[in-house]
Structures are given as structure tokens and as C-alpha cells.
Amino acid sequence: MVRAKSSKRSKELAVIVANIITTKPTVLRSQTKDTVARHGPLSVFGVFSQICPKMIRENRRDGITEAEFNKALEKDGFVRVRMRTTAKQHKANIFANQSYYSFGSRRWRNPDNEDDMAVLSKMWQNLGNLAEFLPLKEVASILRKARVAEVVPPDFDDSQVSSPPPLSPSLSPSGPPSPPRHSL
């Protein structure tokens, strides 16, 4: 039996939607500063699957999978970068919504920003039939959730992060300690 494969149309649509919901940052910084996740519910594929659920493999035989989706985006110029996080951040579950690899030099469009919303609206209307399935208002709502959850994960509890170690005596506000006295 032959393995199912996504159609060329599904891949093209995936790339178009990914370019609509994300953009390159206007200020060039390190590739790891502006990133969007490659895997998980808050990834580009996760948001795409909420916007276009009928284009996903589980709903149709020629739909697209997350692996095919990410491969299509990389061919289109999305750059895969490795995220460096500390063991403490992983232990605190700060980056639970992101994988080790993300797409670098990309950011979510911000529906609360007038310029981003204008571009988002214009590009969404150019999709034609797809725009009829999901109103722009719902797409904006999905993007807001992805942006907020990326900054502060919904399950983040700051009590999980241990407090910093106390200052060394030489750095304490009361000044350096007096030298020990030796008795004879």
C-alpha cells in the first residue's frame, strides 16, 4: 500500500497561510530573538490547523502533515534555528509550548497593530474561497492567543522558579564584613 502524500495544492496553501500569519521582523536582530515554534499547539502548523482544519491529514487523505508543512516552509525560506534554553527554564516549564527548534527571524502578525492588521486583512481577502470558511475576526483571535501564549505560557507558575541565591557578603548593602578577629 502506498503512503498517503499531501497534494501540491495543500503545500502551496500552507506556505501562503504561513506567510500571512507570520512576517519577518522589521528590525533585524539575532535569529533566535524573533522566533515562532515549529512543533506543538502554538507552532505555525498548530495555528494553520486551527485556521484550515480541512487541509490537515487527519481530515482528508491528501491533507498535509506537520512534517510536510515544516519541510514546505523551509523550502520557501523559513530558517530553522536551534533554541538554547537553560536547564532551569526547562525545569520551570517556561518553554513548554516550544520545541528545541523554531523558525528564526519570524514573528506572528499582531492583529492589535494597525499596520499588521491592514496587511493581514488585505492578504486574507486575496485568498478568496478560503477566507469564506473562517472570518478574519476569528483568525485575529487565534493569532492573539498564539502571541500571548508564546510570551507567557498558560501553565506557567512563577512559584516553580527558585529565587536567586542571596548576595555574597561583599556585595550586600551593608558593606563588606569586618575581618575576623583572632584572639591570642
Side-chain angles (χ1 to χ4, degrees):
M1 187 164 148
V2 178
R3 182 184 300 179
K5 186 176 163 183
S6 64
S7 66
K8 186 176 179 181
R9 181 178 173 271
S10 295
K11 290 178 186 176
E12 289 171 354
L13 180 64
V15 170
I16 290 169
V17 171
N19 280 306
I20 290 174
I21 62 177
T22 66
T23 184
K24 291 183 179 179
T26 54
V27 178
L28 292 176
R29 300 189 289 181
S30 168
Q31 282 187 343
T32 58
K33 294 287 183 187
D34 291 304
T35 62
V36 291
R38 290 182 78 238
H39 302 286
L42 299 175
S43 66
V44 182
F45 179 78
V47 172
F48 174 76
S49 65
Q50 292 177 44
I51 293 172
C52 309
K54 293 185 178 181
M55 300 304 295
I56 305 304
R57 173 71 47 85
E58 65 188 40
N59 296 325
R60 52 187 284 175
R61 184 159 171 77
D62 67 338
I64 194 164
T65 63
E66 186 175 34
E68 292 170 322
F69 181 88
N70 287 338
K71 196 173 198 179
L73 294 185
E74 286 179 26
K75 284 183 180 178
D76 189 59
F78 280 58
V79 179
R80 183 177 79 162
V81 295
R82 175 138 166 92
M83 298 303 295
R84 303 279 184 204
T85 56
T86 64
K88 187 176 182 179
Q89 290 169 327
H90 277 292
K91 188 175 182 180
N93 208 16
I94 292 175
F95 293 97
N97 296 323
Q98 290 192 1
S99 63
Y100 284 114
Y101 289 98
S102 293
F103 287 119
S105 299
R106 300 298 290 189
R107 68 171 179 80
W108 295 108
R109 287 205 190 270
N110 182 358
D112 298 326
N113 179 313
E114 289 180 19
D115 296 334
D116 268 358
M117 189 59 183
V119 172
L120 184 64
S121 175
K122 183 179 178 182
M123 293 175 84
W124 193 250
Q125 289 172 356
N126 289 340
L127 283 178
N129 293 341
L130 181 64
E132 295 173 8
F133 289 119
L134 192 64
L136 182 63
K137 191 183 242 183
E138 290 183 40
V139 173
S141 174
I142 292 168
L143 284 176
R144 275 188 199 95
K145 288 177 189 173
R147 290 186 75 251
V148 168
E150 186 176 75
V151 175
V152 179
D155 59 346
F156 178 67
D157 178 11
D158 61 354
S159 66
Q160 296 171 341
V161 181
S162 61
S163 59
L167 292 174
S168 67
S170 62
L171 298 175
S172 68
S174 62
S178 57
R181 295 187 181 182
H182 299 288
S183 59
L184 296 172

